[in-house]
């Protein structure tokens, strides 16, 4: 379904390699926030990024959203190297980001929030009928539990607000949707509603990047888990093949895995080359 008259992204088939980060780093003054980050996202896949506070999750999200430019490394989108210098660049590529604060207008209804900044017009006036029609179509496709698209956002529950924020991100037909802590501060029923919505995104063939602290939510909905620790990769696991204990151990640094062994091997190799040159 075409939700805008001029979609900016190409359609992806399930399994297509959409997004790839290689050696991405970011430094803020003397603080090295990210070092040699690698990340792959495929169509129809939910990739969870987990890590303790200060692991670099927010910085990585902001790089993909165009808030912060990376200091090094490469970003590929649909196989092409790209530069994401601004939020507009990110949106133009087909990356939609739903931040934790949602950025919704409480005094406006669902339709107005969905189309804010992208309003449809007809004869120089807002086409309220068409926007409402498309809003209902989109929300039904997502199996969203919204009583009315004319309900003010202030009257909705936390889960319903999250649904509206995610639905709004789909108006531009992105290839990748990034969700920053979508179940934070939600109750059990509302969390289940949001997790079901993430399932719908996967079924639409989107690549979903899920930032979360909740390992149970990650195991319920993600296909892969990428662990960040102190600004570096510290694990990349398939959810079906890994236990919550292993994920937690990677988060806390209490485990040895392929990523940490490779990093240690690189360090050892560099030391050998340095000593040989001396």
């Amino acid at each position: 379904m075409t939700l805008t008259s001029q979609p900016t992204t190409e359609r992806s088939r399930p399994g297509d390699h959409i997004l790839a980060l290689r050696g991405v780093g970011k430094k803020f003054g003397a603080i090295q926030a990210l070092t040699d980050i690698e990340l792959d996202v495929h169509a129809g896949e939910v990739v969870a990024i987990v890590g303790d506070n200060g692991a670099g999750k927010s910085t990585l999200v902001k790089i993909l959203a165009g808030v912060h430019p990376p200091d090094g490394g490469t970003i590929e989108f649909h196989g092409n190297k790209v530069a994401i210098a601004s939020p507009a660049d990110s949106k133009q590529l087909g990356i939609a980001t739903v931040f934790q604060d949602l950025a919704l207008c409480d005094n406006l209804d669902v339709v107005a929030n969905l189309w804010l900044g992208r309003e449809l017009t007809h004869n120089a006036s807002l086409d309220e009928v068409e926007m409402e029609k498309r809003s209902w179509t989109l929300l039904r496709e997502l199996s969203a539990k919204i009583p009315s698209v004319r309900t003010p956002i202030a009257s909705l529950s936390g889960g319903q607000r999250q649904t509206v924020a995610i639905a709004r991100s789909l108006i531009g037909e992105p290839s990748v949707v990034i969700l920053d802590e979508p179940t934070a501060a939600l109750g059990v029923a509302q969390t289940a509603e949001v997790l079901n919505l993430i399932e719908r995104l996967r079924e639409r063939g989107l690549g979903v990047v899920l930032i979360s602290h909740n390992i149970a939510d990650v195991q319920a909905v993600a296909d892969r888990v990428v662990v960040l620790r102190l600004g570096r990769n510290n694990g990349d696991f398939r959810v079906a093949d890994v236990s919550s204990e292993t994920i937690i151990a990677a988060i806390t640094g209490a485990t040895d895995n392929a990523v940490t062994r490779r990093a240690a091997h690189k360090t050892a190799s560099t030391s050998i080359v340095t000593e040989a040159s001396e």
Side-chain angles (χ1 to χ4, degrees), residues 7 48 52 56 61 72 89-90 110 128 151 170 196 215 255 267:
D52 207 349
V61 168
D89 288 346
S90 179
V110 173
E128 295 282 358
T151 301
L170 302 181
N196 287 335
I215 302 302
T255 188
T267 302

Side-chain angles (χ1 to χ4, degrees), residues 46-48 198-199 202 210 217-225 239-240:
V46 179
V47 180
I198 294 173
E199 293 277 8
R202 174 166 47 202
L210 170 65
D217 290 350
V218 167
Q219 290 185 304
V221 77
D223 299 295
R224 284 193 300 116
V225 182
V239 170

Side-chain angles (χ1 to χ4, degrees), residues 51-65:
D52 207 349
N53 292 334
K57 303 186 302 297
S58 295
T59 301
L60 179 57
V61 168
K62 289 178 179 178
I63 285 176
L64 293 175

Side-chain angles (χ1 to χ4, degrees), residues 9 18-19 39 41-49 61 64-65 77 90 93-99 142 162-163 165-180 182 197-198 200-202 204-211:
T9 59
I18 303 177
L19 179 66
L39 176 68
V41 180
H42 299 82
E45 177 185 46
V46 179
V47 180
I49 299 179
V61 168
L64 293 175
F77 200 77
S90 179
L93 282 173
I95 301 174
T97 305
V98 181
F99 290 102
L142 297 175
Q162 188 74 52
T163 297
I166 294 174
R168 182 179 60 185
S169 73
L170 302 181
I171 295 294
E173 295 194 344
S175 297
V176 174
V177 177
I178 302 173
L179 305 176
D180 187 10
L197 182 56
I198 294 173
R200 300 290 84 75
L201 298 181
R202 174 166 47 202
R204 289 169 67 97
L206 300 176
V208 181
V209 178
L210 170 65
I211 312 298

Side-chain angles (χ1 to χ4, degrees), residues 42 45 222-226 236-243 247:
H42 299 82
E45 177 185 46
D223 299 295
R224 284 193 300 116
V225 182
V226 173
D236 190 335
F237 311 101
R238 293 206 63 80
V239 170
D241 304 327
V242 69
S243 66
I247 297 173

